[in-house]
Amino acid sequence: MNGTPVEHTDQELASAALRGDRRAFGELVVRYRDGVVNVVYRMCGDGNLAEEAAQEAFIRAWTHLASYKPQYAFRGWIYRIAINAALDALRSGPRTVAIDDLPLESDSEPPEERVVRKERADWVRQAVMALPPASRAVLVLREYEGLSYNEIAAALSIPIGTVMSRLNYARQQLRKALAPVAQAGQPVRAGQSSEQSGGKSFYAPLHNL
Amino acid sequence: MSERMDEHVSRWIAAYCDGELSGAKLRQVKAHLAGCPACRREVEDLRALSAMLHASPAHQPRTRADRFAAQVALRLPPAGSLADANRPPRRSFWRLAWQSVPLVLIVSWAFIQAVVLVTTPALVAFTSSPSAQAVLAELTRLAPAALSALMPGVPFMGELLPGSALAGWVLPLSEIVLLNLFFTVATAIMFAAWLAIWWIDRREESWEAF
């Protein structure tokens, strides 16, 4: 017998938690803390609200564990709760001034670049926040959490066609909102394709950097 | 329906970028992209947008994961109340009644249709025979007086519709058709209204479930 700890599945932990096992639930909290905090943050755009609302999401998950269906991914289920907790926090909580939302990744980064980077991040965050909650939720789950269309459909209880249309709408709105950032030549790259196709692209200035 | 090779694949580009395509559709989109600069630009734009979205960094939690879990654990309600909260809600009488509305509408509509279907041919056959016309004429003459004696104060159909084909003894066919049409339309409107309320309710439930 080796000393390797047994890795329980989400379903096993959820089942144990449903029987009142707080340690099992604690393991789920540790497992999904980052994801839930990030979903809440992307939905409410406020770092100070995010952790409080994330805790609220886990408490709701604990009290509604019976509604979790083990045939679906726990991740999608908890993210849906997180989205609702974020929207509730937005409705009820006072907005705080998040001075230090942006982590300082490098002390060696020149202050000017840091300011530009923060401005760009704020612009993106505001554009995301301007989306209707239903479209924002789909965009956050796809772009930031990497859920597949199927997983998003299951998490939000909507058809895949609705996932695609909401995602399409969100991206169209973002393209409009972020056009000035893109055309100002901010140092953002697609990263994958630098192919110049000859025509005028929405993000053409980016390709020329 | 599959697109021809010379048609753009705009509706599939997002799914392609998101890695949601496979099989023949993936091959079709790839083949199209190889020869279509406009669609390749679409792909580049989507990827650039995705990169730009990630320029906004994720929130870095200020508490460690284990400390966060401990804080959550402190706020969890006790197991006893958990059992109550996790018990499936009992369906109230009114909720069941509300949910049975479409069934009641469909059954009553089907019942009326069955009655009309059965009685209309019999009525037509009955009223078209000469002997029946004579009997009806006699009954029409006698019936209002008899019914008025039985139910004083209640207007008889013959009085309400003196010019109708059967002079009040039975409803004329056109009225049956009109009434049936009215009932069908009313049922359809009620069903559509119920469906609309149910849909709105379901949307709210799906968002407010937790």
Side-chain angles (χ1 to χ4, degrees):
Chain A
M1 185 177 169
N2 60 28
T4 308
V6 178
E7 180 79 5
H8 293 289
T9 64
D10 292 348
Q11 282 74 14
E12 288 168 347
L13 291 172
S15 175
L18 187 57
R19 295 192 298 270
D21 186 340
R22 286 167 176 256
R23 285 185 63 185
F25 188 73
E27 205 169 325
L28 284 170
V29 173
V30 171
R31 202 173 278 187
Y32 288 102
R33 193 272 308 243
D34 287 353
V36 167
V37 169
N38 200 33
V39 165
V40 172
Y41 172 65
R42 299 295 186 186
M43 284 302 294
C44 70
D46 187 329
N48 295 320
L49 277 179
E51 287 188 49
E52 173 65 23
Q55 287 196 8
E56 176 61 28
F58 281 114
I59 291 163
R60 289 186 198 180
W62 168 257
T63 53
H64 291 86
L65 265 172
S67 67
Y68 168 61
K69 296 183 178 72
Q71 65 266 33
Y72 296 112
F74 184 82
R75 184 170 68 147
W77 185 75
I78 192 74
Y79 283 176
R80 174 175 161 172
I81 298 175
I83 286 166
N84 285 319
L87 295 176
D88 287 347
L90 271 182
R91 278 193 286 262
S92 60
R95 299 301 301 273
T96 54
V97 181
I99 299 169
D100 54 351
D101 270 359
L102 193 65
L104 302 177
E105 290 165 1
S106 166
D107 290 333
S108 61
E109 187 180 22
E112 296 82 12
E113 282 184 25
R114 195 183 304 162
V115 168
V116 168
R117 191 161 57 89
K118 186 173 183 342
E119 275 180 359
R120 193 173 65 236
D122 283 347
W123 200 319
V124 169
R125 192 170 52 190
Q126 283 167 17
V128 171
M129 286 302 297
L131 295 171
S135 300
R136 200 187 329 150
V138 173
L139 180 93
V140 165
L141 294 182
R142 173 62 228 162
E143 284 288 348
Y144 293 117
E145 292 305 314
L147 266 64
S148 69
Y149 291 179
N150 266 323
E151 287 173 318
I152 297 170
L156 302 181
S157 301
I158 53 175
I160 284 192
T162 308
V163 172
M164 293 172 76
S165 61
R166 285 182 187 173
L167 197 52
N168 192 36
Y169 175 79
R171 283 168 168 162
Q172 279 178 355
Q173 295 302 308
L174 288 174
R175 282 167 74 164
K176 284 181 201 163
L178 296 174
V181 182
Q183 285 163 0
Q186 300 288 352
V188 177
R189 281 181 181 276
Q192 294 194 19
S193 173
S194 59
E195 184 178 6
Q196 296 299 303
S197 46
K200 187 181 178 185
S201 167
F202 180 77
Y203 290 98
L206 296 177
H207 306 314
N208 295 331
L209 289 171
Chain B
M1 199 168 71
S2 62
E3 287 91 348
R4 295 201 329 262
M5 279 305 292
D6 57 346
E7 288 177 344
H8 292 302
V9 289
S10 305
R11 59 185 294 221
W12 299 109
I13 283 178
Y16 169 76
C17 290
D18 289 330
E20 294 281 340
L21 297 184
S22 61
K25 181 56 73 182
L26 178 61
R27 286 194 295 276
Q28 181 197 345
V29 171
K30 275 184 174 175
H32 179 86
L33 287 174
C36 179
C39 286
R40 279 204 303 275
R41 248 191 335 272
E42 278 283 308
V43 171
E44 285 176 29
D45 282 355
L46 269 182
R47 287 177 175 163
L49 176 66
S50 185
M52 190 177 282
L53 289 174
H54 285 90
S56 169
H59 175 68
Q60 301 298 317
R62 296 185 182 89
T63 49
R64 292 201 324 267
D66 55 344
R67 186 171 169 75
F68 180 90
Q71 287 172 345
V72 171
L74 282 175
R75 294 177 59 189
L76 293 182
S81 63
L82 178 67
D84 290 339
N86 277 325
R87 189 171 296 138
R90 288 177 65 187
R91 291 189 164 191
S92 69
F93 169 77
W94 292 112
R95 189 165 178 80
L96 278 175
W98 168 250
Q99 286 173 343
S100 62
V101 163
L103 185 69
V104 170
L105 285 175
I106 290 169
V107 167
S108 56
W109 180 82
F111 176 74
I112 297 288
Q113 295 311 304
V115 169
V116 168
L117 209 65
V118 169
T119 56
T120 305
L123 190 63
V124 170
F126 175 64
T127 55
S128 59
S129 68
S131 55
Q133 292 287 351
V135 171
L136 276 175
E138 185 61 18
L139 287 173
T140 304
R141 191 176 63 76
L142 295 173
L147 284 175
S148 296
L150 284 171
M151 294 180 285
V154 177
F156 186 57
M157 192 57 73
E159 295 167 25
L160 294 174
L161 300 164
S164 62
L166 298 179
W169 180 237
V170 289
L171 283 176
L173 283 175
S174 58
E175 281 186 33
I176 291 174
V177 171
L178 275 178
L179 272 176
N180 189 25
L181 188 67
F182 171 78
F183 186 77
T184 302
V185 170
T187 306
I189 289 172
M190 283 191 281
F191 189 79
W194 182 91
L195 208 60
I197 294 169
W198 171 83
W199 188 73
I200 292 166
D201 193 42
R202 186 171 166 269
R203 273 173 65 92
E204 283 175 357
E205 262 184 18
S206 93
W207 278 101
E208 306 293 344
F210 302 103

